[in-house]
Amino acid sequence: MSANEQTPSDATLTAEEQQRVISEQLKKVGLDTSDLEADFVHYLYNSMGRNVASEPYYHYKALSFAVRDRIMQLWKQTWASYQQQDTRKAYYLSMEFLIGRSLTNNMLNLGVESKVDQALYNIGLLLEQVQEAEIDAGLGNGGLGRLAACFMDSCATLKLPVMGYGLRYEYGMFKQLIKDGHQIEAPDHWLGYDSYPWEFQRREYTREVRFGGYTRQYQDSHTGELIVHWETDEEVLAVPYDVPIPGYKNGVVNTLRLWSAQATEVFNFSEFNKGSYFEAVSSKAEAENITMVLYPNDTSENGKELRLRQQYFLVSASLQDVVAQWIEQHGKNFDHFAEHNVFQLNDTHPSLAVAELMRILVDDMKLGWDKAWSITTRCMAYTNHTLLPEALERWSEHLFEKLLPRPLEIIYEINARFLKEVSMKWPGDNERLRTMSIIDEHNHVRMAYLAIVGSFSVNGVAALHSQLLKDGLFNDFFQLWPHKFNNKTNGVTQRRWMASSNPGLRELLARYIGEDWITDLNQLSRIEALKSDAEFRQGWQAVRHENKQRLANLVEKETGIYFPVDSMFDVQVKRIHEYKRQLLNLLHVVHLYSRIKRGDTADWTNRSVLIGGKAAPGYFMAKKIIKLINNVASIINNDPEVGDKLKLAFIPNYRVSAMEIIAPGTDLSEQVSTAGKEASGTGNMKFMMNGSVTIGTLDGANVEILDAVGEDNFFLFGLKTPEVAELRQHYNPQACIEADYDLQCVMGLLESGHFNQFEPGLFDDLIAAIKSPSDPWMTLADFRSYIDAQQAASDAFRDQDRWIDMSIVNTARSGIFSTDRTISQYNEDIWKLMPVGE
Ligand code: 26Q
């Protein structure tokens, strides 16, 4: 879509006129049931070469084409109005966009779901089956990637001119299979058998990204200026694929641009003609490798050259794209560039943007350092997502030198000037120079420091997290630049996480408070008054029951394990990580099992415990945790003495589309990380919105959830952040065991090999880890308080009236956890964009 294709008047219309034009144009495509039905049949027959009796996958494809047609006009208009109004824009740079499925969400945002439902019904098809045929776009690891996807939805809904930039990985997050209780990874070829209906290749915006080689310095013969030339030895094409992001019923369609690596034409000619056919083909393959696969680690894995290549590839292609658009409109005058463009860096993964924008402005645009630096530092904003010091990205100078010699020189120069500033502020303080240097003492580039130095804004993702960044990890920088630091508590989009994933709740809410909550989540507070309305409560229970049945069906289908619907559904789904303490959850399950075996079952509450999540393929301990969960599950589920009192299932291949079923069917949400370790969490918010009650520590956004619902509606337990820090000095897990009979029983069962009778010693390292005085996650320190909180949850659940109260309050007060709120705050404090058409 180029800017000159549109009607020139489009962008100058008032909001009202725009709305009219939009509905006119939509009428042309046809939003009626009959139009949708006709188009669906048309695509099914003519594009798919299939008929109604074919597999649901083809129905999904045909329906996607029909829905897509209803997006295109609006997409073109949105794009045109951004171009024409020359408005300030934000770019969300992220190595991950965990989109999941798109069909349902796009139908919802276009407002066509009920018509599509009817159209398919007329043909004898069920919409739900068609929706389920869509493969998740799993272009992310977990929280950070899903956050980016929720952000895109809210930006479009708030009519903000924001474009996402990411990578089009050929293989997304691996598929997790469970064999004999072990995690097995299988490749995820998400693009399907043929093509992905939600992307459009835009060859015309192809960019060239360069790597390797060396730099040469020379003086310009006329001006005497020092000029640096980067002689690269490798060029790779970045071909964009655009994904439309429709806002909720507002006529806006934003763009997510994903880059795919392709070898250059020059390559094809010159290399092949040299006659070295084999070498030519393999170096072509190497170039195209860049976007082949998503790294499946959710903490930084250093030293992988390909990962650094991916990061630079994203950053360079995206910045070139923005600069090219700038030049097209303004020529090579960059005086107002920083007023028109802001880049939000999703963690340090795209932090090379600081160096790359400097390179483009200084080397390519010949701006001069000071001017370029002033522009760069007014354009960049950095979001941190971790408190674990070991997870901060560092890249060796050596690798940098080889792959990106010119960006490295620029980083040296940035660092030299920055350290001068440090020594002005703290004269003679050499310790500061050492600790704050962008280059560390082991010759590694500290990417977080590069991001902080190059940005005007640094934010954490929950109140506690942002505070801890200022107090700890980035304290030196906070002292130097307090004004840069701010908080933006995460959120989730209620369009996906309530309106489309919980249709029962949506219908109930519609009857009592209408649908305004879909774009104004604070409206949910209105249901709190309905707590005493018997009919509403009955409706609430009915919806929850139906959702639990749906979840029980999923669990049974995936694991063969039966969850009784009237038991308490106790769920922990997230990446498997020691700090998230799936082991603590498991200790509680073993405790319940031990109580059953001891006959201690007075006032019992039946529980069905669900755990799910992927382990990084190289994370030995995390994989062991999965195996232990599965072993414990098979003992418990096959013990006739246990029966319905306790069930445990590990759901394989946890992903976005699974969470859409899981969150609405959950009673108790497990958020049990060691205090001070989870930056925010976003699963916690999805559960809360859907009426689950949280059992959790004072960590990440749990703190804000607790603030919202109060201690009566939250099962709080565990050490607080300062207590964790204090206890670390003299932590004695053995003493925890000796002081606690229940813990002795649990450890006794684990150590006796009860759960690994045919695999002796299998869990020794897990047991040793939690018994070690240097256990960083201090699992046993929180055991007693966790068990007590779990007992309180069980007691509350047996009093269903009380539980319904808590459930309603949780949903009612979840308004602040909408990404609409998060994005409004990013916009007010950092981006300062004008909504389109206003
Ligand atoms: C970096 C370098 C090399 C290889 C991999 C990585 C890498 C990839 C993904 C590092 C980290 C991630 C993902 C981190 C993540 O998901 N963090 C989570 O972000 C959420 C959104 O802010 C928070 O809610 C979670 O608390 C945080 O853990």
Side-chain angles (χ1 to χ4, degrees):
M1 246 173 321
S2 80
N4 48 20
E5 271 176 57
Q6 92 260 327
T7 39
S9 57
D10 280 1
T12 49
L13 299 179
T14 65
E16 217 170 293
E17 287 167 331
Q18 261 181 14
Q19 210 49 54
R20 191 180 40 77
V21 173
I22 289 167
S23 27
E24 284 300 312
Q25 280 169 336
L26 274 179
K27 268 185 217 144
K28 280 187 225 152
V29 204
L31 279 180
D32 289 341
T33 304
S34 56
D35 302 314
L36 286 157
E37 190 180 322
D39 283 2
F40 170 75
V41 171
H42 165 86
Y43 283 118
L44 185 60
Y45 281 67
N46 300 317
S47 301
M48 297 290 103
R50 299 293 194 298
N51 61 27
V52 177
S54 69
E55 283 175 48
Y57 176 77
Y58 298 104
H59 301 148
Y60 145 71
K61 285 287 294 275
L63 182 56
S64 297
F65 285 135
V67 169
R68 198 174 91 158
D69 285 354
R70 275 103 190 135
I71 296 179
M72 301 312 288
Q73 194 64 40
L74 302 174
W75 197 6
K76 181 174 151 178
Q77 272 173 3
T78 303
W79 185 271
S81 64
Y82 290 164
Q83 299 283 302
Q84 276 208 335
Q85 291 175 358
D86 196 18
T87 88
R88 176 173 166 85
K89 279 178 239 136
Y91 306 93
Y92 200 74
L93 300 192
S94 178
M95 291 286 285
E96 309 190 2
F97 286 91
L98 221 184
I99 300 166
R101 291 176 179 154
S102 289
L103 174 59
T104 311
N105 203 244
N106 290 343
M107 290 192 308
L108 174 79
N109 284 11
L110 289 175
V112 298
E113 345 97 288
S114 56
K115 285 174 183 158
V116 168
D117 198 6
Q118 185 62 48
L120 291 183
Y121 183 82
N122 292 347
I123 307 169
L125 293 171
L126 279 180
L127 177 56
E128 207 179 299
Q129 280 176 11
V130 177
Q131 291 166 317
E132 278 168 18
E134 180 169 2
I135 302 168
D136 281 38
L139 308 184
N141 273 282
L144 166 149
R146 182 56 231 177
L147 184 74
C150 284
F151 277 8
M152 293 305 292
D153 181 73
S154 283
C155 289
T157 297
L158 294 169
K159 300 184 165 187
L160 296 177
V162 176
M163 190 160 162
Y165 276 113
L167 295 181
R168 180 184 181 271
Y169 303 105
E170 198 83 27
Y171 293 87
M173 190 61 197
F174 66 81
K175 180 173 186 200
Q176 179 193 55
L177 309 171
I178 300 296
K179 289 223 171 85
D180 300 326
H182 292 282
Q183 166 175 300
I184 307 291
E185 299 92 22
D188 161 53
H189 199 261
W190 66 283
L191 288 163
Y193 315 120
D194 35 23
S195 66
Y196 180 58
W198 304 109
E199 68 177 11
F200 293 81
Q201 194 195 58
R202 299 255 183 255
R203 286 214 77 87
E204 63 275 30
Y205 299 122
T206 297
R207 313 288 167 196
E208 201 178 288
V209 179
R210 307 178 312 142
F211 296 94
Y214 56 92
T215 64
R216 262 185 305 119
Q217 292 198 353
Y218 58 92
Q219 258 184 338
D220 187 290
S221 49
H222 301 295
T223 63
E225 256 182 293
L226 197 65
I227 297 195
V228 179
H229 184 76
W230 178 11
E231 195 72 60
T232 54
D233 62 11
E234 195 187 338
E235 293 83 39
V236 181
L237 298 181
V239 180
Y241 287 72
D242 289 356
V243 178
I245 310 287
Y248 182 76
K249 295 185 184 171
N250 65 0
V252 169
V253 180
N254 280 345
T255 301
L256 169 59
R257 178 161 285 184
L258 302 177
W259 299 104
S260 176
Q262 232 176 62
T264 57
E265 286 303 316
V266 184
F267 214 108
N268 290 343
F269 285 115
S270 66
E271 289 292 318
F272 281 89
N273 289 343
K274 277 186 216 157
S276 47
Y277 169 77
F278 187 86
E279 285 71 17
V281 175
S282 45
S283 30
K284 178 176 156 72
E286 197 186 320
E288 296 179 354
N289 243 344
I290 293 180
T291 51
M292 195 57 71
V293 54
L294 167 78
Y295 272 90
N297 309 314
D298 65 344
T299 49
S300 67
E301 180 180 320
N302 283 298
K304 288 280 186 287
E305 179 178 335
L306 184 58
R307 172 76 183 187
L308 186 59
R309 267 178 193 273
Q310 289 183 335
Q311 295 185 347
Y312 184 68
F313 182 77
L314 165 67
V315 155
S316 181
S318 309
L319 287 172
Q320 286 185 54
D321 205 45
V322 174
V323 168
Q325 284 177 53
W326 177 262
I327 293 174
E328 217 171 275
Q329 293 200 356
H330 304 87
K332 292 197 175 176
N333 180 345
F334 285 83
D335 288 352
H336 299 288
F337 184 84
E339 284 127 66
H340 282 74
N341 300 287
V342 54
F343 299 90
Q344 192 70 42
L345 309 179
N346 198 18
D347 215 302
T348 52
H349 317 156
S351 58
L352 273 170
V354 172
E356 178 66 0
L357 185 55
M358 284 301 286
R359 188 194 64 75
I360 292 172
L361 296 178
V362 172
D363 294 358
D364 298 350
M365 301 298 144
K366 308 273 182 290
L367 276 198
W369 186 275
D370 291 336
K371 207 164 179 183
W373 186 244
S374 155
I375 293 171
T376 300
T377 51
R378 281 181 291 141
C379 282
M380 297 291 164
Y382 157 55
T383 305
N384 170 282
H385 296 264
T386 187
L387 280 158
L388 310 179
E390 67 271 25
L392 292 181
E393 272 191 290
R394 292 152 204 258
W395 291 102
S396 87
E397 268 180 292
H398 178 74
L399 192 58
F400 246 102
E401 173 81 62
K402 174 174 139 198
L403 213 59
L404 305 166
R406 180 54 185 153
L408 180 62
E409 279 177 6
I410 290 171
I411 292 170
Y412 287 150
E413 184 65 25
I414 293 171
N415 195 36
R417 290 169 185 245
F418 163 64
L419 291 179
K420 258 188 210 149
E421 202 177 328
V422 173
S423 48
M424 303 271 255
K425 164 104 181 170
W426 292 289
D429 190 343
N430 289 333
E431 179 60 13
R432 296 256 188 189
L433 293 180
R434 193 180 61 77
T435 55
M436 294 180 81
S437 173
I438 296 174
I439 311 291
D440 75 10
E441 48 267 49
H442 309 290
N443 304 98
H444 281 68
V445 183
R446 292 162 160 156
M447 302 308 277
Y449 293 5
L450 175 64
I452 298 171
V453 173
S455 298
F456 67 89
S457 164
V458 177
N459 76 279
V461 290
L464 174 67
H465 171 227
S466 297
Q467 190 57 47
L468 294 173
L469 288 180
K470 295 194 283 186
D471 295 346
L473 215 51
F474 299 151
N475 180 257
D476 286 330
F477 291 89
F478 175 62
Q479 289 182 43
L480 186 59
W481 295 312
H483 55 276
K484 287 193 185 186
F485 287 77
N486 65 94
N487 173 246
K488 295 290 167 284
T489 298
N490 283 165
V492 304
T493 168
Q494 70 269 31
R495 264 84 58 194
R496 178 176 297 259
W497 296 110
M498 291 182 75
S500 70
S501 63
N502 199 338
L505 181 58
R506 180 183 174 188
E507 215 170 286
L508 179 72
L509 291 174
R511 270 191 274 139
Y512 287 85
I513 62 164
E515 297 226 305
D516 289 353
W517 59 272
I518 296 180
T519 49
D520 175 11
L521 201 61
N522 288 319
Q523 294 290 329
L524 288 179
S525 66
R526 291 166 57 200
I527 67 170
E528 201 159 337
L530 296 166
K531 257 194 342 185
S532 49
D533 180 321
E535 218 173 272
F536 180 76
R537 294 174 72 87
Q538 220 168 41
W540 191 266
Q541 274 299 66
V543 167
R544 295 203 54 75
H545 189 272
E546 191 189 330
N547 290 336
K548 288 178 73 173
Q549 187 62 60
R550 193 163 60 132
L551 175 52
N553 294 344
L554 176 73
V555 170
E556 189 156 19
K557 186 177 120 217
E558 296 283 328
T559 68
I561 297 160
Y562 161 75
F563 275 12
V565 186
D566 55 0
S567 64
M568 177 201 270
F569 283 16
D570 169 352
V571 179
Q572 185 177 25
V573 284
K574 48 182 81 235
R575 289 302 289 262
I576 309 294
H577 214 294
E578 287 162 284
Y579 85 81
K580 294 179 188 281
R581 297 201 297 194
Q582 281 89 0
L583 271 181
L584 181 59
N585 186 352
L586 202 62
L587 294 182
H588 171 248
V589 174
V590 173
H591 163 70
L592 291 181
Y593 171 69
S594 154
R595 275 184 58 192
I596 295 170
K597 300 308 277 185
R598 283 184 268 150
D600 174 15
T601 57
D603 296 326
W604 190 263
T605 301
N606 290 351
R607 278 211 197 216
S608 300
V609 179
L610 183 66
I611 304 178
K614 292 174 185 177
Y619 190 169
F620 176 83
M621 291 294 262
K623 289 184 136 178
K624 268 280 161 74
I625 292 170
I626 292 176
K627 173 65 174 160
L628 178 58
I629 296 167
N630 281 304
N631 278 23
V632 171
S634 81
I635 296 286
I636 289 178
N637 300 329
N638 293 308
D639 186 332
E641 214 181 320
V642 174
D644 282 0
K645 288 193 181 67
L646 181 62
K647 299 281 176 193
L648 173 62
F650 184 88
I651 186 160
N653 202 32
Y654 172 62
R655 61 197 185 283
V656 172
S657 59
M659 185 57 160
E660 290 169 9
I661 312 273
I662 293 169
T666 294
D667 295 307
L668 188 66
S669 153
E670 299 272 351
Q671 308 299 336
V672 303
S673 53
T674 311
K677 298 299 172 191
E678 187 71 272
S680 163
T682 46
N684 47 4
M685 302 169 185
K686 294 165 198 164
F687 285 116
M688 178 198 192
M689 257 176 211
N690 282 285
S692 320
V693 183
T694 304
I695 183 165
T697 49
L698 270 182
D699 201 15
N702 297 353
V703 176
E704 289 153 84
I705 292 177
L706 174 64
D707 269 353
V709 300
E711 289 213 28
D712 290 346
N713 300 294
F714 188 108
F715 299 99
L716 178 65
F717 76 94
L719 297 172
K720 300 172 183 43
T721 307
E723 295 169 345
V724 168
E726 198 281 324
L727 183 62
R728 218 180 276 299
Q729 315 303 315
H730 50 92
Y731 178 42
N732 182 354
Q734 195 53 45
C736 299
I737 298 172
E738 278 158 21
D740 194 320
Y741 174 68
D742 287 329
L743 183 51
Q744 284 160 32
C745 293
V746 170
M747 295 308 290
L749 276 169
L750 284 174
E751 290 179 322
S752 71
H754 189 79
F755 302 109
N756 50 311
Q757 285 178 24
F758 306 104
E759 301 153 300
L762 187 63
F763 301 121
D764 287 359
D765 14 22
L766 288 184
I767 296 167
I770 55 175
K771 288 179 81 173
S772 160
S774 57
D775 171 20
W777 323 114
M778 304 176 97
T779 302
L780 298 191
D782 279 342
F783 177 83
R784 179 40 45 194
S785 134
Y786 182 53
I787 297 300
D788 292 346
Q790 287 285 18
Q791 184 59 50
S794 284
D795 294 342
F797 193 78
R798 263 180 294 119
D799 179 355
Q800 276 292 299
D801 273 335
R802 162 136 188 253
W803 194 270
I804 297 169
D805 281 347
M806 296 175 83
S807 172
I808 294 173
V809 170
N810 268 273
T811 299
R813 303 195 188 171
S814 66
I816 50 171
F817 298 110
S818 168
T819 36
D820 297 346
R821 187 269 312 149
T822 312
I823 289 298
S824 300
Q825 293 177 337
Y826 273 92
N827 193 42
E828 270 159 37
D829 301 343
I830 306 174
W831 302 343
K832 304 187 191 296
L833 311 169
M834 285 283 286
V836 63
E838 273 163 34

